[in-house]
Structures are given as structure tokens and as C-alpha cells.
Amino acid sequence: MEAKLVSESATLMTDLVLPGETNPLNNMFGGELLARMDRAAGIAARRHSRRVCVTASVNHVAFNRPIPLGSVVTVEAKISRSFNSSMEVYLDVWIEDRESGIKKKANEAIYTFVAVDDTGHPVAIPELIPETDLEKERYIGALRRKQLSLVIAGKMKPSDATELIALFNE
Ligand SMILES: CCCCCCCCCCCCCCCC(=O)SCCNC(=O)CCNC(=O)[C@H](O)C(C)(C)COP(=O)(O)OP(=O)(O)OC[C@H]1O[C@@H](n2cnc3c(N)ncnc32)[C@H](O)[C@@H]1OP(=O)(O)O
């Protein structure tokens, strides 16, 4: 299976925030953003693997900045690392200033997707080639984040999380 570049599956989704998607403070409802990020990440995972992909876990979400009604929101999804059947997908969320057009980072999140066959069993996927400094940084960190996620989910013994343990010994 041929390794792929991050840019080959990178996915950009731009959409408005409409009244039905806000909370009582007139900011975007957090669940709406989670759903948009899930869609963008799912498309990126599908583009990378060319397989059906399911969300296995949401590893991290930071709602750093409220997103007001009427905002133009761009969700950028990039695979940060692929393993055997799973992919870490990094999401950066930007809001665009209506006057200047300058984009400000509003949120970020990390999702894990797994490629599956017709019977729902995990299948092998292509490796990922990181190119930019940021892609390389996220690629390196992805293994310890995977181990943390597996430990939290009770799927890995903490003592087996070698990459994670190494972080505390630096
Ligand atoms: C071409 C462009 C147009 C495309 C056009 C179509 C676009 C289309 C877009 C769709 C965009 C919407 C996308 C929504 C996607 C849903 O809404 S999916 C619905 C929600 N999710 C689900 O229902 C998933 C339910 N869970 C499952 O099916 C199973 O638990 C899973 C995820 C397949 C894993 O199965 P399992 O038996 O645990 O398998 P296991 O071998 O233990 O683990 C498989 C891999 O997952 C990893 N893993 C498992 N759990 C975790 C965890 N908690 N943390 C981290 N890694 C984990 C394992 O480490 C392993 O990794 P690898 O070492 O193989 O890389």
C-alpha cells in the first residue's frame, strides 16, 4: 500500500452559524461544532484510507473562543498519523473576521478514526508522510496520544504505554 501525504486527504469545510445552531448565549452550540468536526475528520479519514471509517474516540477538544451567530467557520481536518487501521485526525477551527477577512483560531480537537471492512472489522491503511514542521510535530506526538487514549479507554495497561511514560521521564 502506497504511503500518502497529509495534503492528499486534508479537508476544509466552511459554513455559516445559523440561529438553529446556537446556544442561549447566541454562540455556536458545542455539539454542533463536534458534529461538523466529526464530518470533516470522517471525510479526511476516508480520503486517506479509501475505506469506510468510523469514529473510535474523541481524544481532545478545546473550546477556546466562543463562535458568535453569523460567523463563517472553517473546519480544517488533517490526518496527523496513521497506524495499522487507525488514524489520528487533527482539527483546527477558524473564524473569519467579516470586515478584514482575517482568520482567527477558535478551537481545536483530536479525533481517532478506524478504517473498517464490510463486516465492521478494522483493516490496514496506508502510512502517512508528514512534510511540514507542524505535520512532523503532530506525527511524533500522535503515538503517545494514542497510548493515552487506549489507557483511558481501558484497552492498554499503563505499564505498556512506553511512549507516554517516556514523556514523564524527559
Ligand atoms: C472520498 C471522499 C468522499 C468521501 C465520502 C464519504 C465520506 C464519509 C464521511 C463520513 C463522515 C462522518 C463520519 C462519522 C463517523 C461516525 O459517525 S461512526 C459512528 C460512531 N462510531 C462507531 O459506531 C464506532 C463503533 N466502534 C467500533 O466499531 C469498534 O470499536 C472499532 C472502532 C472499529 C474498533 O474495533 P476494535 O474491535 O476495538 O478493534 P481493535 O483491533 O481493538 O482496534 C482497532 C484500532 O483502533 C484503535 N483504537 C480502538 N479504540 C481506540 C481508542 N479509544 N483510542 C485510540 N485508538 C483506539 C486500536 O488501537 C487499533 O489501532 P491500530 O493499531 O489498528 O491502528
Side-chain angles (χ1 to χ4, degrees):
M1 222 178 301
E2 207 176 314
K4 290 187 178 173
L5 303 173
V6 178
S7 55
E8 289 179 75
S9 56
T11 300
L12 272 186
M13 258 179 44
T14 301
D15 202 356
L16 275 173
V17 180
L18 296 173
E21 296 157 347
T22 56
N23 61 23
L25 300 169
N26 263 343
N27 293 318
M28 190 183 199
F29 177 52
E32 168 64 24
L33 183 60
L34 290 173
R36 289 190 193 188
M37 293 193 291
D38 201 22
R39 285 190 203 104
I43 292 169
R46 171 86 188 213
R47 282 175 167 164
H48 180 77
S49 64
R50 293 283 159 206
R51 290 289 195 160
V52 171
C53 293
V54 293
T55 319
S57 73
V58 177
N59 307 102
H60 166 74
V61 184
F63 293 107
N64 294 322
R65 195 187 283 268
I67 302 178
L69 174 66
S71 299
V72 173
V73 180
T74 298
V75 177
E76 183 181 32
K78 288 183 174 174
I79 310 296
S80 36
R81 185 154 175 175
S82 64
F83 297 94
N84 300 317
S85 65
S86 66
M87 287 153 273
E88 184 188 81
V89 189
Y90 223 103
L91 294 131
D92 295 296
V93 179
W94 309 87
I95 46 177
E96 197 170 315
D97 185 88
R98 281 180 227 174
E99 312 300 323
S100 66
I102 293 171
K103 285 185 178 168
K104 277 188 282 192
K105 177 101 170 261
N107 302 82
E108 66 175 36
I110 301 172
Y111 284 50
T112 297
F113 275 74
V114 176
V116 294
D117 64 14
D118 294 344
T119 59
H121 288 102
V123 286
I125 54 171
E127 283 180 25
L128 185 82
I129 307 165
E131 288 187 296
T132 67
D133 288 348
L134 182 60
E135 288 170 8
K136 287 175 187 163
E137 185 189 312
R138 289 178 172 181
Y139 183 94
I140 290 167
L143 179 55
R144 65 171 176 263
R145 289 190 291 272
K146 176 180 166 77
Q147 292 185 347
L148 178 62
S149 178
L150 290 171
V151 168
I152 289 171
K155 296 179 175 179
M156 178 181 259
K157 283 192 284 179
S159 55
D160 289 339
T162 48
E163 194 74 16
L164 189 58
I165 292 166
L167 182 67
F168 295 97
N169 295 330
E170 273 176 9

